[in-house]
Every structure is written in C-alpha cells, then in structure tokens.
Amino acid sequence: MAHSRVGHAYLFCGPRGVGKTTLARVLAMALNCPERTEDGEPCGTCDSCRRIWGGQTALDVVEIDAASNRGVDDARELRERAMYAPSEEGRYKVYIVDEAHMLTREAWNALLKILEEPPARVIFVFATTEPQKIQQSAAPILSRCQRFDFRRIGVTDIVDQLTAVVESEGAKAPEDALRILARKADGGMRDGLSLLDQVMALTGGEITSDSVRRVLGLVEEERYLELFEILAESRHSDVFRFVEDLLDEGYDLVEFYHGLVEALRHALRLSLGDDLPDLTTEFKKALEAKTVGFHPADFVRMLSLASDLESGGSLRRTSQPQVLIEMLLLRLSYLDRTVSLEEVLGGLGGAPDPGGDAGARTSGDGDLEPSASETREGPTSDDQRQEQATSAPEANAPGVSEEESPEPMDGVTAWRSVLDSGSLPKGMTPLLRAAVVREEAEAVIIELPDGPAVERLADPLSQRMVLDALQARMGREPKLVVRVQKDVPEGENGRITSEKVKADRVRSLVEREPLLERAVEELDLELME
C-alpha cells in the first residue's frame, strides 16, 4: 500500500472469527481513504472510512455472501459490475466475497477470466474457512490470488482484549473468569466477544467464574475431581450414579465430555511436571491429590479412549449420549494401572538383590552379562541359583579373573547347557533337542534323525556357533562329529514327529533328574505342552 504495490485479488484463509472480513474492510478503507498516512494506514475518521467500517452503503466497496449468492448467474452479475470504474478519481472498487468456498465450479469459471485480466483499480478479496474446497473445485483460482493464512488467536491475547472491553463498559471481571471465556472461544476473537456480551447481559455485569460456567453450561471443576476419585478407587457402580446426577442437574453430556478431555489433558501435563499457569493454584493442588495414584501412561491411555469417541463421530450422531458416556467412564474405571517391571519382579519375588550377584552381572562397559545359573541344566531353587551365580561366574566374561572361572563341563553337559541357554539361532534349538549326544576322546558325537536338523548343522556357520558355545563351557574346542541316526523306527522316514519330540524331552528330563524316571513309570505320567 505504501509503495503502491497492490494486488488485484487476495485470498484470506483461516478459522472463523479471527478477522478475515474485518481485515478485508481495513484494506478497503486504506485503498479509498483520502487522508491515509505514508505507511498506508487509513485515518478511520473520514466519511469513507466510517461508512466502510460501519458496514453502511459504499459505492466502491461491495460485500457479497457467497453462501447465498453462489450460482453462475451471481458470478456473471459480479463480473459485469466489476467492469464499471470507481465513483471518483484515485479510488478503488473493492469486492469482498465472504464464504468463498461456497461458490460453485461454474461460478468460479465465470470469474476466472476477469481474475486473469482484471480491470484497472478493481480489487477482489475472497475470505474462506475451507481453502481446500477451492483447491478441489477451482484450482486455477489459487494461482491468480495472493494467499494469506490467518492463525487462531492465543488465549492471553483474547484475555487482554476482553479485559479492555470490560473496563470500557465500567465493569469488573476476574482473570480466571475471562480465561474460561477465552478457552471457550477456541482462538476466535469474535466468539470471545460474543460470549462476554452474553455473560454480561445475563448476569447484569457481575462476572465471576461460577457465573461464566453457569451461563455457558460448563461443568464445575469439582465434578471432574469427583470422577477422578471414582476412577482411582475403581468404584465401577458409582459411574452410573455420577452420570445420572449430571443429567438431574441439567448438564449437557456433550459439554461434559469436552470438559473431561480437558481435565485428562491437565492431569497428564501435571503428572509430567508442567506448571499449567492457566489453572488456579487450588484446582492444581486438588487435581494432583486426586490423581496421585496414576502414572502418566495411564492418562495417555485414558485420553486415547476418550478421543476415539469423538473421532468416530458416535457422540454427535447418537440420540442417547448417556449410554456412550457411561461406557466410556466404565472403560476408564476398569483400565489397568501402569506398573514398572521392577514392581512386577518384586511382587513375584524375583527381583535381584542390588548388592549381590544373584541376577545379571554388569560388565566393565556397563552391559549386562548373563548369570552363571543360566548355564546350569535342570530346575533349581532360588538358593541354588544364588549359590551357582556366586560360585561359578560365566567363563571368559569381562572383568572375571582366571581363579573365578567355572569348572569345565563334559561334552554331554555342555551340549545341554547350550540348548538351554537360547544362544543358538531361532528355530534351531527345537531341531537339536532330538539328538543323541555322547563324548568319545576329544570328540562330541551328535546323532540326529535325517532331516532339517542335519542340514542345519552341515552349515559351516552353524557349526562354528555350536563349537564356540561348547568351547566356552568345556574349556577347550572339541571335535564336532555329526551323524545320522541309523535306528530310526520304520515308517517315520527320519522325520521328527510330536510324539518323538515328547519322548526325547522326557528322556532328557530323566537324565537330569533320575528320580523322575521312577515317577513316570509308577504313575504313568505323560508330558504335557
């Protein structure tokens, strides 16, 4: 404006109530003000500025509602009117088209030519809340306009403006009451002013937090504190009484739902250490006291459940919101609490002693080393595992001296330890459990049924992994001999069946616990999964 660089078409995009049409009027005032400053600012006091700002009849400024004038005939009429020159020399004809996304595709096509070759001193300003619809119906229009995107107004800025309005009216209002109005406005200054006017009219100028909540139908904060107490104590049946009390007192359940989401969000932020300056100190302390037993992850899951109700659109479509709200609150009350792994282990009696060496051992670089009890075969008690872990640390583990090295195992015991350790590739251990193993001289002989197990061990990489595991337990590298079993029962063709796997498993257990053999024979026990 100050440099006489004015576009012929503008597109103002943004949420409702953020000042798109207002700024379009200011632009029209600046273009036609005879007393504008060097910076292009209109004076606001001349006859042209007052008529445009007041929405009165102005020959050179025309406002059109595209929602009710959206057809091709309306667009053609606008195009014909735009061909006329302004009323005075040096002025501009400004056409402000509100809700521009409502124009049809044919209407946009009728305007396309005049936007490509606009008459001199004619300006178009299109205001819309949904620019994506223009993109879908008339994409070429966007390239002919200078686009400006408007953002939502912050709560603090809205509160400052509401405070100025209240003072100009000679009234008083606490800041927390104005903050409720500002948050309810959702970034729109126009909505904030409308809500303030509504509250002042219905309360006679006595603005308080309670009066604002009563006029707007908002649920009191104490109700959400009561709900958090119900959820914390898992009083499932009280959910129905709570919802019925809300209905008896005339609250809107949809409004309660939005307040519930906001309360969960506040609780989550408080649990993460956020100060939340928008909340009063009393409410923050009460909210912290009611939610002391919850973990931040609990609030995340609660918010996820609550947001699913809104994102699915069920609450807006249903004729019985009470059922949906009750089901949501019941799901929140039945939601399991988040516990740490340490708490689970402690409850099971398996938490390692911080000062002992019963569980995992820490190496020099901070990594966890498996305990020696993991290399022993067979079930052992807690005391046995503690004794094994302290007396036989892992061989060749970093930070362990030679004097503390475990006793070397024989080939058969080392083989069992390798299978139980889970150190072999996934899927290989079940195949190898059917093997018959014996040690002869310096060799470990492994007999397997002909099939995938033999094929896996024939792979040099797999053999190397098995040899390394055996060497770590035997104290030397044995010679590995893989043979195919010759005494395979007829009809099985060397294939591993479920019955054979169970039999081999029982045989392995009996070898570890000799007393188990007698129990199996006398009680006719069968291995279950």
Side-chain angles (χ1 to χ4, degrees):
M1 190 77 62
H3 303 286
S4 298
R5 300 177 61 88
V6 181
H8 65 280
Y10 295 90
L11 180 63
F12 291 169
C13 313
R16 62 186 184 90
V18 295
K20 299 184 296 296
T21 306
T22 300
L23 187 58
R25 291 178 182 175
V26 173
L27 175 61
M29 290 168 56
L31 289 170
N32 293 317
C33 179
E35 301 179 7
R36 62 173 176 263
T37 64
E38 294 181 357
D39 296 334
E41 293 291 336
C43 67
T45 57
C46 65
D47 182 65
S48 175
C49 290
R50 286 188 287 104
R51 295 180 71 86
I52 295 173
W53 184 253
Q56 302 174 8
T57 302
L59 294 177
D60 296 325
V61 179
V62 181
E63 293 191 26
I64 301 173
D65 181 18
S68 55
N69 300 276
R70 61 193 302 266
V72 63
D73 293 335
D74 299 307
R76 288 171 179 168
E77 181 182 354
L78 174 60
R79 183 181 61 188
E80 293 174 359
R81 292 171 61 182
M83 301 304 294
Y84 292 99
S87 60
E88 296 181 14
E89 186 70 24
R91 295 175 66 89
Y92 286 85
K93 289 185 72 69
V94 182
Y95 292 92
I96 302 174
V97 183
D98 200 9
E99 301 295 337
H101 61 274
M102 297 295 292
L103 292 175
T104 63
R105 184 188 301 271
E106 293 75 14
W108 281 118
N109 290 335
L111 292 175
L112 184 58
K113 186 63 177 178
I114 196 172
L115 290 177
E116 290 178 342
E117 300 176 1
R121 309 188 77 81
V122 174
I123 307 297
F124 288 92
V125 181
F126 301 102
T128 177
T129 57
E130 302 181 56
Q132 69 275 7
K133 290 188 176 181
I134 301 178
Q135 172 71 33
Q136 295 169 359
S137 60
I141 294 296
L142 299 180
S143 63
R144 272 75 177 178
C145 302
Q146 295 186 23
R147 175 170 173 170
F148 293 89
D149 289 279
F150 289 64
R151 297 179 299 176
R152 296 184 184 274
I153 304 174
V155 173
T156 302
D157 295 330
I158 296 179
V159 170
D160 294 340
Q161 183 63 25
L162 295 182
T163 302
V165 172
V166 170
E167 292 177 353
S168 66
E169 294 291 333
K172 294 182 179 180
E175 183 178 352
D176 55 345
L178 297 181
R179 283 194 174 274
I180 297 175
L181 292 173
R183 288 197 296 267
K184 185 66 175 177
D186 193 23
M189 183 66 73
R190 182 181 63 199
D191 291 346
L193 294 173
S194 299
L195 293 174
L196 176 62
D197 183 60
Q198 178 183 352
V199 171
M200 294 183 67
L202 295 178
T203 60
E206 296 292 333
I207 303 176
T208 62
S209 299
D210 293 337
S211 65
V212 169
R213 292 183 180 278
R214 185 173 63 255
V215 172
L216 300 183
L218 303 179
V219 182
E220 288 89 351
E221 295 173 340
E222 289 74 14
R223 285 294 189 181
Y224 298 109
L225 296 177
E226 178 184 353
L227 176 61
F228 280 125
E229 184 177 350
I230 293 175
L231 299 180
E233 299 176 0
S234 298
R235 300 183 346 234
H236 313 300
S237 60
D238 289 348
V239 167
F240 298 98
R241 176 191 56 78
F242 178 81
V243 176
E244 290 172 357
D245 289 345
L246 292 177
L247 293 175
D248 292 341
E249 296 177 16
Y251 289 113
D252 182 10
L253 291 183
V254 177
E255 193 64 47
F256 163 77
Y257 165 79
H258 293 302
L260 172 63
V261 174
E262 190 69 14
L264 289 173
R265 179 173 169 271
H266 290 328
L268 174 60
R269 294 180 62 181
L270 281 176
S271 65
L272 294 175
D274 198 344
D275 186 44
L276 287 180
D278 292 345
L279 300 182
T280 61
T281 304
E282 293 76 11
F283 179 66
K284 285 192 291 187
K285 291 182 178 180
L287 186 59
E288 289 177 340
K290 296 295 184 181
T291 59
V292 66
F294 292 95
H295 192 274
D298 298 326
F299 295 121
V300 172
R301 289 186 291 162
M302 290 181 181
L303 278 171
S304 178
L305 289 175
S307 60
D308 288 344
L309 185 63
E310 178 70 12
S311 60
S314 303
L315 195 60
R316 294 190 297 269
R317 294 194 303 265
T318 183
S319 59
Q320 294 182 337
Q322 178 180 356
V323 177
L324 294 180
I325 294 297
E326 288 175 344
M327 291 302 100
L328 172 62
L329 298 185
L330 281 175
R331 293 176 68 184
L332 297 182
S333 66
Y334 277 106
L335 199 65
D336 293 332
R337 302 288 179 82
T338 299
V339 294
S340 63
L341 182 60
E342 290 77 7
E343 294 175 352
V344 175
L345 294 176
L348 296 175
D353 185 4
D357 193 26
R361 187 187 302 105
T362 304
S363 65
D365 55 0
D367 295 333
L368 290 179
E369 296 288 340
S371 63
S373 60
E374 296 177 1
T375 64
R376 300 293 185 184
E377 70 272 18
T380 55
S381 64
D382 291 342
D383 293 336
Q384 290 172 329
R385 284 195 295 267
Q386 175 72 19
E387 181 180 356
Q388 293 169 358
T390 55
S391 62
E394 184 99 30
N396 298 327
V400 179
S401 63
E402 296 182 358
E403 290 77 11
E404 297 174 344
S405 299
E407 292 290 335
M409 302 179 183
D410 60 82
V412 178
T413 306
W415 173 259
R416 295 171 184 166
S417 177
V418 170
L419 295 183
D420 294 340
S421 66
S423 59
L424 297 180
K426 184 177 181 181
M428 188 174 178
T429 302
L431 298 175
L432 299 181
R433 287 196 180 277
V436 176
V437 182
R438 65 179 185 274
E439 184 178 5
E440 294 182 1
E442 300 296 326
V444 175
I445 301 176
I446 302 175
E447 294 184 356
L448 287 164
D450 190 14
V454 177
E455 296 175 0
R456 290 294 296 272
L457 274 186
D459 179 40
L461 181 60
S462 300
Q463 282 195 20
R464 185 70 263 168
M465 295 182 64
V466 172
L467 282 173
D468 290 343
L470 290 175
Q471 180 181 1
R473 290 159 174 79
M474 299 177 63
R476 59 180 177 84
E477 182 176 353
K479 180 181 178 182
L480 189 64
V481 179
V482 181
R483 297 176 180 173
V484 178
Q485 290 180 358
K486 298 180 180 180
D487 55 345
V488 179
E490 185 177 356
E492 292 189 6
N493 296 325
R495 299 180 60 184
I496 299 177
T497 62
S498 59
E499 291 76 9
K500 182 171 178 55
V501 171
K502 289 183 179 180
D504 291 339
R505 184 61 176 162
V506 170
R507 183 183 61 195
S508 175
L509 293 175
V510 168
E511 290 177 354
R512 297 179 183 179
E513 296 291 342
L515 294 178
L516 183 61
E517 183 178 8
R518 181 180 177 185
V520 171
E521 294 176 353
E522 293 186 0
L523 301 178
D524 193 20
L525 299 179
E526 181 180 355
L527 180 66
M528 305 298 294
E529 294 295 338

